[in-house]
Amino acid sequence: MTDETAGFSATQRDVGDGIPGATAAFPYDRMTVERFREAFPKARWRDDLAAWFVPGTRAERRLKSWMGREWSGVLAYADQRGRDAFVFEPIASSYLEVEDDFVVRTPYSRTVIAELREVPWARWDPSLKAWRVPFRSFEELRRRWPAIETAARLAEPEERRKREESRKASPEHEHRRAEAAERRRNRYPVPEDAPPPLGRVLMTHVGSVVFEAITGELVEPTTAARFYPAVAAGAAALIWSAWRRPDHAELVEAWPARTPPSPADLARGWWQPTIEVLRKERRKAASLERAQATRRSKAGQ
């Protein structure tokens, strides 16, 4: 088996459901997966096998034939052409090492990951904790390298520390901290002459809530202007109400409004959500509850 085929395996097997076929495994690469799906439209990924399953009594032979074409001398020629291009115009960077292929090792950065995922044949090597890119992908790697290197430098611990210190020194940071502290108090201003119904899912300028009580305590004008500028009571006074976030079940059972909120509803500060808004809130609540269940499960282990 040559270097070009070393990462590919195909095995005829019975997976237990009575359908003959073969499994195929190869290093993940978006472009390779696309070509594989085009060649084998009936292929399905099997989590239990950690491989692709291709139905058919001759599936193994078909897979190996495809592999022979895919990993043929065409790729070897492309690798050599990439080597020549690199020698002619190399990338000089502390984040790039040259071995049998390119090894890209950077601090964690979502931008770096997103860029490398768009490079054909690039793959993450968990043993090296680095990305490996074959020479055949050099042109695309070179095209994306300025964005990769810039993101990598910004992800260095020292750069992160500088940005964090700058962020903490900004007036916006102090405002965000004060706003977060205000949200943790679970209170919301409502007009004294237009209090919301209790126990129902409603929308506000801080998201979906269920109002639990109207305290009757007057809202300080400075607090309302700083944290709740969109709420206007008109001639009436603003008073505090207590609220909590609705759970997924409550959002599912909530009755939607037929029309979007009017300017008067928005100024009042609370309104009945439309079905589009409810769907969005349901997805957020379901995701949050799954995350909480996962954390509880891990804590109990």
Side-chain angles (χ1 to χ4, degrees), residues 127-262:
S127 62
L128 288 178
K129 295 184 178 179
W131 285 83
R132 306 195 72 126
V133 182
F135 283 99
R136 69 185 74 111
S137 301
F138 173 65
E139 291 298 332
E140 184 64 18
L141 180 65
R142 179 170 58 184
R143 189 176 74 84
R144 295 182 177 275
W145 191 256
I148 292 172
E149 183 155 35
T150 299
R153 293 191 185 283
L154 290 174
E156 291 287 357
E158 182 63 20
E159 290 297 322
R160 289 179 182 271
R161 185 185 64 78
K162 289 179 181 178
R163 290 199 303 277
E164 181 66 16
E165 290 178 352
S166 176
R167 184 181 65 83
K168 288 182 178 180
S170 68
E172 291 79 8
H173 177 68
E174 290 302 320
H175 176 74
R176 286 194 295 268
R177 287 187 60 187
E179 192 173 53
E182 173 63 26
R183 294 289 179 268
R184 288 194 293 271
R185 300 182 73 170
N186 283 28
R187 63 180 186 176
Y188 189 80
V190 296
E192 188 176 25
D193 61 350
L198 304 182
R200 284 175 50 188
V201 175
L202 297 170
M203 282 302 297
T204 69
H205 294 292
V206 298
S208 60
V209 304
V210 173
F211 287 103
E212 296 186 305
I214 306 297
T215 67
E217 180 186 358
L218 291 175
V219 178
E220 303 83 355
T222 55
T223 301
R226 183 179 183 185
F227 300 113
Y228 308 95
V231 180
L238 286 175
I239 57 176
W240 286 117
S241 63
W243 60 268
R244 62 173 175 81
R245 294 294 183 193
D247 58 30
H248 181 258
E250 288 174 314
L251 288 163
V252 169
E253 295 173 358
W255 195 258
R258 294 183 177 180
T259 59
S262 66

Side-chain angles (χ1 to χ4, degrees), residues 4 12 27 70 101 118 121 128 134 151 177 180 202 212 243 297:
E4 284 80 14
Q12 193 77 23
E70 190 72 13
D101 52 13
E118 295 301 316
W121 303 97
L128 288 178
R177 287 187 60 187
L202 297 170
E212 296 186 305
W243 60 268
S297 176

